[in-house]
Amino acid sequence: MSDTEIAAVKNAKADGRGWHKLLFGLAAVAVGVFVAWRLGLFDLLTVDNIDRLDAWFDSLGWWAPVAFVVLWVVASVFFLPGLPITIAGGLVFGAVWGTVWTTVGANLGAIAAFLVGRYAARGMVEGMLEKNGALRKIDGGVRNQGWRMLLITRLVPIFPFNIQNYVYGLTDIPLKTYVLVTLPCMIPATVAFNFAAGSVRTGDFTKTLWYLGIAAVFFVLLSLIPGWVGKRFAADNLTRVD
């Protein structure tokens, strides 16, 4: 068999693995949705709950975005899950402004946790590093790869996002670099979830279809990013736990 034929076989196998990973990812999402449904998490998104949430933010007037951003900062600092807040942003503020305020809040929250990890809670974070070999990979990866390690861990869902914020505070990565890399890495998921949530309350069938289409494009993008990052920056080698 010629070198060209061998290369073609290898590429075909790689493409097959890519499809397998995509299908596995979709299956994992489906399982997650099923589990959330069985646990009754979707009951929190009933019309009554959404209306109460909407009314509460409306009562704040111009302070509503500020309250939402503060909520994001608190969630980031205290390890609270960000997905429900993201969805709430799309439902309350709409797809576009939900994306804007989620981007602002999530990034300020990430910066706040980074600074807490660097200056106020070093002992706690160092303890987490000692107990978790995977997290120690971040510190070693930053020393070897710099900002590329941050890019990998932001785009490839290997490490919990909120814990990353603290751990990076212990590394040598500059705050400016941390912010400039973190911001664009958050945008795809922020757009996907906010437009998906915002489509529920548009009141316009055409706009709903547009929002769902935009969300679908970004969800597909999110499913493809890990593979691209892994090939481009050898993420598997950098983040593999021995």
Side-chain angles (χ1 to χ4, degrees):
M1 184 178 291
S2 67
D3 292 340
T4 302
E5 290 173 330
I6 293 174
V9 172
K10 289 182 178 179
N11 289 334
K13 290 181 179 179
D15 291 340
R17 288 195 296 269
W19 278 107
H20 291 158
K21 290 179 180 179
L22 178 58
L23 291 175
F24 179 79
L26 293 175
V29 171
V31 171
V33 171
F34 176 76
V35 171
W37 172 70
R38 291 292 296 174
L39 292 175
L41 298 181
F42 289 128
D43 293 339
L44 298 175
L45 297 180
T46 61
V47 174
D48 289 340
N49 285 334
I50 294 173
D51 286 343
R52 284 197 294 269
L53 185 65
D54 200 9
W56 183 75
F57 275 103
D58 280 343
S59 69
L60 298 177
W62 289 102
W63 288 100
V66 176
F68 183 74
V69 169
V70 170
L71 178 62
W72 255 112
V73 173
V74 171
S76 299
V77 172
F78 290 98
F79 300 98
L80 301 178
L83 181 56
I85 305 175
T86 300
I87 294 175
L91 291 171
V92 172
F93 298 105
V96 177
W97 284 108
T99 298
V100 172
W101 299 130
T102 296
T103 300
V104 173
N107 280 274
L108 289 179
I111 293 171
F114 176 91
L115 294 175
V116 169
R118 175 158 291 185
Y119 298 111
R122 292 188 66 89
M124 179 191 73
V125 183
E126 287 171 350
M128 290 192 298
L129 283 175
E130 291 176 359
K131 297 176 182 178
N132 194 313
L135 295 179
R136 288 198 298 273
K137 289 287 185 177
I138 292 180
D139 187 48
V142 169
R143 286 196 299 269
N144 295 328
Q145 300 292 330
W147 65 268
R148 293 178 182 83
M149 187 63 186
L150 176 59
L151 176 71
I152 291 167
T153 56
R154 287 306 194 206
L155 294 177
V156 181
I158 297 174
F159 305 105
F161 177 79
N162 285 341
I163 295 179
Q164 284 186 49
N165 298 329
Y166 279 94
V167 172
Y168 276 111
L170 295 185
T171 68
D172 295 330
I173 196 165
L175 176 60
K176 180 180 179 180
T177 301
Y178 175 80
V179 173
L180 292 177
V181 175
T182 295
L183 175 59
C185 289
M186 286 185 179
I187 290 177
T190 300
V191 172
F193 285 107
N194 271 280
F195 272 77
S199 67
V200 175
R201 307 191 72 190
T202 61
D204 184 307
F205 181 72
T206 301
K207 186 178 289 187
T208 297
L209 290 180
W210 272 106
Y211 284 179
L212 288 174
I214 292 171
V217 168
F218 277 88
F219 276 124
V220 171
L221 180 63
L222 286 171
S223 71
L224 298 176
I225 283 176
W228 177 83
V229 172
K231 292 178 181 178
R232 179 65 179 83
F233 296 107
D236 290 339
N237 293 330
L238 286 171
T239 57
R240 185 176 63 248
V241 180
D242 298 327

